Every structure is written in structure tokens, then in C-alpha cells.
Amino acid sequence: MDIQYLPGVGPRRAALLKSELEVSTVGDLVRLYPFRYIDRSTLARIADITPGAAFVQFIARVKEVTMPTPKRLSAIVADNSGEIELVFFKGIKWMQAKLVPGEVFLFFGKPAVFNGKMNMVHPEVDKPSSGIVGRDSSGGVSGTLTGVYPSTEKLKNAGITGKVMLKLMAEALSTVLPTVEETLPEYVMKEKGLVPLSYALRQIHFPQDSNALAKATYRLKFEELFFLQLSLLKQKYIRSRGENGIRMPLVGEPFNKCYDALPYTLTGAQKRVIREIRDDMRSGRQMNRLLQGDVGSGKTMVAVLSALIAVGNGHQACIMAPTEVLAQQHFANISRYLLPTGVKVVLLTGSTPAGARRDIHAGLMDGSIGIIVGTHALIEDTVQFRSLGLAIIDEQHRFGVDQRSRLWTKTGAGAPPHVLVMTATPIPRTLAMTLYGDLDVSVIDEMPPGRKPVQTMMFGEGKRDAVYSFMKAQIAAGRQVFVVYPLIFESEKVDYQNLEKGFEDIATKFPLPDYKVAIVHGRQSVQEKAFNMDAFAAGRAHILVSTTVIEVGVDVPNASVMVIESAERFGLSQLHQLRGRVGRGSEKSFCILMTGKKVSTESRKRLELMCRTEDGFVLAEEDMKMRGPGDLEGTQQSGLPIALNIASLSRDGIILTDARNYATHVLDDDPTLETEKNGPLLREIRKDKYAVKDYSKIS
Ligand code: ADP
Ligand code: MG
């Protein structure tokens, strides 16, 4: 049923529910779960309220109401334990009329601190008799845990407050529950001890007590993760069964020539990973493998050797990088490695001139080009291969799934190319299971010998001069320095201004002719960027000021200092990536985190962790916890290809593992889910929510 026909909704609110919360049917609404519950059964004493506490409820008498500014209404309220200031910026007139001094109200809100004093902004104000202790005035259901739903300013302005949401939810449940179809087969519920869907839906919105809520939550989380894993694993199963891959039986001449000429011995981890890839490529199954390895772990060589297996078997390989700078660097490195092999490698980016481009297209078609390195330009329609055998995608998080799938249309090989996705972002296990549940995973968990730990320090603005002196000392010792500024889409304008200001400041403090400072950012032309990058890479510039364009891949072993401005604005994983740009040479390296004036305690803690550890996985886990759905006030998790409604990848790792194991068990028994008892499962995973693109079938 369309949501607009639910009593209390109508077309206007329906449009908002759709645009703000993606709720278009009554069924969608009951699947919009509270992201928090408030225990309305307890009353606090004002003296016991502490700043930073969760929502509290208390009864107090209005003492005094003032308007310090025309836009701010301040009310002091007191009980016999103490007093607290309540602040209103909206609906001031109405509130002023309501809060008559001497009257007693029931207040409900979240304490905050302003100018060192505790207050409460926009608390709910009720008559003490309404909606208190065990009676839920809105949902009409007894119980003391009240759900809090995701909301936005627009929804609130349209009158869809928390209370209204509860009313709508009660309506929706009475419409939906009588006919709701159970999504799990009987046997699954029994084996896993899960409560029925109708019970779970009722309890998740209007819990009887915390025990019932726990059961409901568990059921819904398990269901969500189970279907997701089932869908991913089924895909993987089909692929591993199939004979749809290009068979590459040989190691091949080019591989051996390159291997014999290597300037170093491969690490054990590199060798192991190459063996895994080689086994995939000769298996006759299409490889879909994720290669994880921290910054500097030596993924490029693995990519090169894998590409050479394809070439050695009469096919071609492409290596796709997320930025032009990175593609160029890859191309330079790879060309060097390929010298002993005689394999022809070319570079194709957005700035490749038309003439050269035509030659490349021809060379790819006639097979004279063995390996092509490039950017997104590689997935343009005009690029076609004689026989694309392997597609390597570096730093995949910057490539959309759809972009990846377009590679499939390019091969003349008669079967989809093998795919190797490389990422330097250490992905927590739980996330990897979800994002890449359908991929096989290889990990390079060993660094090449000789990498030095990077000493990380955090400084405020007051220490800037000292930091500059330190940079000068390092430059005097022959080293180079990165200075990185944040650049975030939402604040792009200001960020660019800061970058410019920072650059001018450094150019003044590090004047010519003693110092040369280069700057690289996204608004430069490709030539300008390359010119400045080259100046730094070749050692002609001492300092490189940039945005995060240097985040991935850039290799300047002589750079020993990484200064990160406004470090609190970066995620931990991103900081870790940046830090990986130094510590590549033989000298001791440093990462300096500069912090802005206002740094929250939380940010400070994160940066301190950054100073303490160089373990990318620890940082990634922490990042995920910090950015977990809980922080987002019930809005969608970002960065996931699949939006989870209730389960959290950072907190529900145990349920996820259990769901995955159980999904494996179910598929072992019935790989195609075609038996009658699994009918409901097949029906569920065909829904859009759990859809996983089958890359091998896109054509
Ligand atoms: P990643 O792409 O994983 O961040 P790279 O492939 O760029 O790392 O390698 C980082 C550096 O380590 C490069 O300078 C590379 O030449 C070097 N390197 C790679 N493998 C080894 C090895 N087995 N022994 C010594 N140095 C290595
Ligand atoms: Mg790399």
C-alpha cells in the first residue's frame, strides 16, 4: 500500500517520507526501525543530570523565562535538587506562552554544555500527567521503551515529529501485520531459534520489555545479514562451479624473464599471493580476487607478474588506476619492470592526444600491445581489446561497481576477463565479508625488508614555528617534505582557500632561492600537475603542498616528512594512507598531524591512536566504529553498496559470522535454493535490497 493512504500521511507528507527516508509504501515504513530507544519510565533529578548523558526526563517548575537575544528564549527550571537552563531558538512565542513561571512540566531532552555551563536545547515539554511512566500516549501500546526514528529537519517541519512517527507506525503495523509474510523458512527459524517476523516487527517498534526487544532485534539483524550473505555466496558458488573463465595453463616466458631480472627477492607474502592468483588463472574458472596489502607492501609487482601470466598465455592485461598521476607513476614503474620481457606497455589517460589514442586503439585490437595502464579512459566505449585476459583495478574504492562491469564488454576472448582488485585500505573482516563476500581475498601481510617505522606526532597551531624549523632541519639534511591539506567536496571552496593560504605562508617562510616549493591540486591542468609532481619526485622541489591527490601510490623515497593540516578532518584510514607516503627510503621518517583550534575530545583520541599505531587494520576497525551507523543519527550508512537497515558491520560481527556460516551450510545442502523448503529464501534474495551484480554475466 502506498504510504500516502496511511491515515495521517497524505500526498505532501508521503513525498517527504519518500525523499527523506526512502519510505514509499507501508511495508517500507514498518521496516524503518528505531535507531535508539528511550526509557521513559525513569525520572531524573536535575542534580543527577550530567552533561554528555543520553536523553533524560525530569519534572521541574519554571522559575524564570528571559530572552537574552530576540532569537533565543532561555528558561530556568528547578526541582528540589537543583536547576537547569532550557534554551529555545524556534517556536519561541509559543514556548514563551507555555512556560509560565510557577508551572510544573515534564521535560525531556539531551543535556549539553555551552560556555562551560550545562543546558538543554529544545527539550520536549509536556504536562506531567501525559505520556509518563508506563503509558505511551502515542503508540497506544503499553511498555516503557519508546523508539526514536531517523528524522530530518524537513520531516520535523512537516509535523512528522517523533510522536507522530510513533502514531504512523502503530497504524502501519495494524495494516501490515495481519497479512505479513514470513521471510524465513520454518526450519531456519527453528534451527537458529528465531522469533517470527510478525512478532519481531511489533516488538522492534513497540517493545514490551527489553527481553522481547532483544529477541526482535536479533531476529531482524540475523535475517538481514543472512540474506545478504546468502546472496553473495550463491553468486560465488555459481562462479566457482562454472567453467566460464579463460584458461591460462602457462606461466609463460615474459613472467620468467621479469622474475629473473627482479631487483629484489619477493617477500613470502608476495610469493604466496602470486601463487594464489596463478592457481585461479589456470583453473578455468573466472578469477574475482581482492588483493589487500598495506601501503608499500609491494602490490605493483604482484600486478605486473599477474599481467605477464595473461600475456604469456596469448592474452592482454589492463591496469586501471584512479588518478592520472597514479596511472603515470604506475606506467613508469611497470615499464621498467617490463624492460627485460619485451612486452609492449602503453599509457592511456584523459590527456592522451588523439593521434596516440588512435595508435593505441589499433595496437589493442591487433594484439601488439600486451599491457595497458590507464585511468577511467580505459573504460570508454572506443577501447576494445583483441583478447583481454586480466583486468587489474588499483584502489578499487574509487571505482564504482558499474564502471568495473563495463570492462566486461571489452574482451574479444569469448569469456569474461579475470579480475584482480587491489586495495591498500585495510578492510575490517566484517566489512570485507559484506563488500567482497563474492570475491576471494588475498592478503599481503608482510612488508618488504628495510621499511622504517614512521614517528607520528600531533601539534596545535601554537607549535607551527617549531614544525617549520623541523622541516628546515630535514631539508638541510637533504630530505623532502609533503604538506597535505584536506579537500572535501562539501567545503571545497573554503578548503581551496586554506590550501592557497597555506601555500603562500610556506612560500614566505621557505623563500627562494634556498627553498623550492611545489603545489599540486585538482584544479590544475594535467600538465601543471605533472610538472609540479615531477619537480618533487625528481628532487628539484623541497616541499610539495597538495590536497589528497597524493593519497595513493605516489612514491618518493627521499621524502621523510609528511605534514597533515587539519588532521582531525581526515578519517583514520585516510591518514594512514597519507602516512604511507613516507618511510619508504632508508632515512627515519616523520608524520606530523597539525590540528585546528577546535578539536573534540573524540578527534583527539583518534589522532592519539594514530600516533601510537601503524597497524592499518587497527585503524580501519577504529574508523569503522567511529563512523558506524550509531553516529549517523539513524541515517543510512555511507560507503556501502548495500544499505543495511538494522545490522551494523562494526558491532554485529558475531551475528555476521554466524549468518555467513549458516548461509554456507544452507547452500552446501541446496546450492541453487531450488528446493521447496527454500522457496522463501530465493524469493527474498531476489529483492533489490540484496541484489548482487553478477559481473560475469553483464554483456
Ligand atoms: P604498494 O603499491 O603496495 O603500496 P609498491 O608496489 O608501490 O607498494 O611497493 C612499494 C615499494 O617497495 C616500491 O618502491 C617497490 O619497488 C618496493 N618493493 C616491492 N616489493 C619489494 C620486495 N620484495 N623487496 C624490496 N622492495 C620491494
Ligand atoms: Mg600501489
Side-chain angles (χ1 to χ4, degrees), residues 254-262 264 266 271 274 305 308:
F255 180 104
N256 287 327
K257 280 187 177 149
C258 177
Y259 195 93
D260 291 342
L262 279 182
Y264 41 71
L266 296 182
K271 283 187 194 158
I274 289 167
L305 289 169
L308 288 175

Side-chain angles (χ1 to χ4, degrees), residues 385-449:
F385 294 79
R386 188 175 68 86
S387 178
L388 180 63
L390 172 67
I392 299 174
I393 298 162
D394 197 8
E395 304 297 345
Q396 80 92 147
H397 55 286
R398 304 199 172 193
F399 276 109
V401 163
D402 291 326
Q403 288 172 320
R404 249 190 287 165
S405 64
R406 283 173 68 177
L407 279 168
W408 272 234
T409 64
K410 307 190 156 295
T411 176
H418 297 294
V419 176
L420 182 66
V421 173
M422 305 198 293
T423 175
T425 313
I427 301 166
R429 238 175 79 77
T430 49
L431 187 60
M433 270 188 202
T434 310
L435 286 182
Y436 306 111
D438 64 329
L439 301 188
D440 295 306
V441 179
S442 291
V443 183
I444 307 188
D445 50 6
E446 184 185 349
M447 284 292 184

Side-chain angles (χ1 to χ4, degrees), residues 33 37 50 52 107 112 138 142 168 236 246 255 274 367 500 509-510 522 559-560 603 682:
Y33 307 126
Y37 295 85
T50 50
F107 298 100
S138 31
S142 72
L168 296 180
K236 183 170 167 179
I246 306 170
F255 180 104
I274 289 167
E500 287 295 334
K509 299 275 171 49
F510 294 82
S560 63
S603 299
L682 199 56

Side-chain angles (χ1 to χ4, degrees), residues 262-268 270 293-302 330 333 336-337 394-395 422-424 444 447-451 552-555 557 580-581 584:
L262 279 182
Y264 41 71
T265 32
L266 296 182
T267 62
Q270 283 171 315
D294 215 337
V295 181
S297 62
K299 292 184 293 297
T300 314
M301 186 41 79
V302 172
H330 264 322
N333 286 333
R336 218 163 2 101
Y337 293 132
D394 197 8
E395 304 297 345
M422 305 198 293
T423 175
I444 307 188
M447 284 292 184
R451 249 188 101 85
V552 279
V554 173
D555 199 10
R581 298 298 116 215
R584 304 188 145 211

Side-chain angles (χ1 to χ4, degrees), residues 488-503:
I488 294 159
F489 183 69
E490 291 81 29
S491 53
E492 195 176 308
K493 209 169 148 196
V494 180
D495 286 349
Y496 267 115
Q497 283 166 2
N498 288 339
L499 173 73
E500 287 295 334
K501 268 211 312 265
F503 175 65

